Amino acid sequence: MGVYRTAADDPGTDYLLHHPDWDRAELLARDDGHFMGPGLSWPELVRAADQALPGGSTADPRARLPLLLPAFGEDEVPADAVGRLATALRPRTGVRAPERLAAALLAAQGAPGPARDGEYSWHIQGICRALRLQPPGLVESPPDGEPIVDGMNSNSTDTPTEAPLPLTLTLRADATPTTPALLLRPWREEDTAALVEGHRGAPADASASAPAMRTEAEGLRWVRHQRKSWTTGTRYAFAVLETERDGGEGRLLGHVVLKDAAPGRPTAEVGYWTAVPARGQGIAPRALETLTTWAFTTFAPTGLTHLQLLHQVTNPASCRVAEKTGYAFTAIVPASPPDYPADGHLHVRRADG
């Protein structure tokens, strides 16, 4: 089933698998404008290519593999992947070195970008948990014969849940020789006027992922959405504030957000923007680094391994912020007008890197 999100600052579609006996749906994939995911791991891709349905128009696995390649997303490509893809490409292309083409295609990834988490990507593990199945080769059965999946006993009916974090949570970044200390805390309704002022002078064609705040009504609606999402545990959005010398709150400098972090989920997404008067002062890298450290400290013990950062290629400043904070460029994702008229960049930072 598809669930459409139409919030002004969070449009997109979530594709879910559900059954009447389950207490929650499992996320299969997500389409967030210029980002689609999570994508298939190499074992899943090969298995899909090898298992053609009778009567299909393309039953040859060597022909099916290139057709399925756009759905590929894995950050650790197996050693035999280049050879297998080159074998599929050789009779179907005119290139002299199909191995080089295969390596380039595998390195570029598909539109989803990396999605690996062990031998099978995370959404397959979630489905197997829900169905109480064991993906072949993922884990061994314990001595008592009860199969386990992703470290959980498959006979358990418990589904990982997360109590929303308190709205009193605060994070801090120390001062530098040229910039003040930063305070990161959940948004409040009294921030609305500063929010609107901070967007004054922003481009009129701001994308849906970073909408312009032209009026206090728009700003208040946005703040209330951040607070509601916080209480449901789906989105942890922080206002970034300057810290006064006495430790009090100063002017609003920007915003950082962690989206879709939950126990058992290996990936989540980060985002940010900087208020117009504060741009060019190094605020975004410091705030993003603070958020990143907190995210891994909070969620890595329950499974978080990757954080993703996405931006359009027309925003080179975001590339610089990503590089400064250790988010490695991973893939180009295609444009999706009208919200995302240009191609995007996918950056990833690993918990262990």
Side-chain angles (χ1 to χ4, degrees):
M1 64 178 175
V3 177
Y4 300 95
R5 288 179 276 113
T6 58
D9 61 329
D10 190 25
T13 305
D14 297 321
Y15 297 93
L16 307 171
L17 180 68
H18 194 245
H19 186 278
D21 294 337
W22 301 351
D23 57 1
R24 74 167 188 177
E26 287 292 338
L27 178 66
L28 287 175
R30 171 172 291 121
D31 181 350
D32 279 329
H34 70 301
F35 170 67
M36 298 180 68
L40 299 178
S41 69
W42 181 256
E44 294 162 3
L45 197 75
V46 170
R47 196 169 184 181
D50 289 344
Q51 295 183 359
L53 295 175
S57 60
T58 307
D60 182 354
R62 290 171 297 180
R64 288 167 58 84
L65 186 61
L67 293 174
L68 291 166
L69 196 62
F72 176 60
E74 183 168 352
D75 61 357
E76 296 179 18
V77 181
D80 63 346
V82 171
R84 167 138 190 185
L85 182 56
T87 299
L89 294 173
R90 184 173 287 108
R92 295 170 179 82
T93 65
V95 298
R96 296 181 180 179
E99 290 80 10
R100 293 180 61 186
L101 175 59
L105 291 172
L106 292 170
Q109 304 282 318
R116 181 180 172 87
D117 180 45
E119 185 177 355
Y120 290 80
S121 57
W122 68 267
H123 60 101
I124 294 299
Q125 296 183 32
I127 294 167
C128 288
R129 280 198 299 271
L131 297 175
R132 302 181 186 178
L133 299 176
Q134 177 181 347
L138 180 60
V139 293
E140 297 290 336
S141 295
D144 62 5
E146 294 182 353
I148 60 173
V149 177
D150 198 23
M152 295 176 56
N153 189 310
S154 65
N155 286 338
S156 171
T157 58
D158 293 336
T159 302
T161 59
E162 177 189 3
L165 299 173
L167 277 163
T168 54
L169 177 68
T170 59
L171 309 175
R172 294 183 182 273
D174 293 336
T176 72
T178 57
T179 57
L182 303 179
L183 170 68
L184 283 62
R185 58 140 173 88
W187 285 90
R188 301 169 183 163
E189 291 189 4
E190 54 263 35
D191 297 322
T192 300
L195 172 67
V196 175
E197 183 62 29
H199 277 76
R200 198 177 305 279
D205 59 349
S207 72
S209 63
M213 307 289 175
R214 295 175 295 271
T215 67
E216 291 210 8
E218 290 177 338
L220 182 59
R221 184 163 53 246
W222 185 87
V223 169
R224 286 175 173 170
H225 175 69
Q226 308 312 308
R227 291 182 65 84
K228 180 179 179 180
S229 298
W230 185 294
T231 60
T232 61
T234 58
R235 182 183 179 96
Y236 294 108
F238 294 83
V240 179
L241 305 167
E242 184 179 62
T243 301
E244 301 285 6
R245 291 184 179 180
D246 61 2
E249 296 183 2
R251 62 186 178 123
L252 175 68
L253 302 175
H255 157 85
V256 288
V257 59
L258 175 68
K259 296 182 278 187
D260 298 325
R265 181 173 294 173
T267 59
E269 184 181 347
V270 297
Y272 66 91
W273 50 254
T274 306
V276 173
R279 292 177 184 175
Q281 301 174 25
I283 301 299
R286 295 175 60 209
L288 180 59
E289 181 63 36
T290 302
L291 178 78
T292 299
T293 300
W294 168 78
F296 282 134
T297 300
T298 304
F299 295 100
T302 57
L304 180 65
T305 62
H306 298 74
L307 288 174
Q308 299 176 333
L309 185 156
L310 294 126
H311 68 84
Q312 293 193 91
V313 296
T314 51
N315 187 357
S318 280
C319 254
R320 294 191 292 271
V321 171
E323 292 169 357
K324 289 179 180 178
T325 50
Y327 284 79
F329 171 73
T330 303
I332 294 178
V333 291
S336 180
D339 289 337
Y340 302 98
D343 288 347
H345 280 184
L346 171 65
H347 297 260
V348 175
R349 178 161 161 176
R350 299 175 61 95
D352 58 4

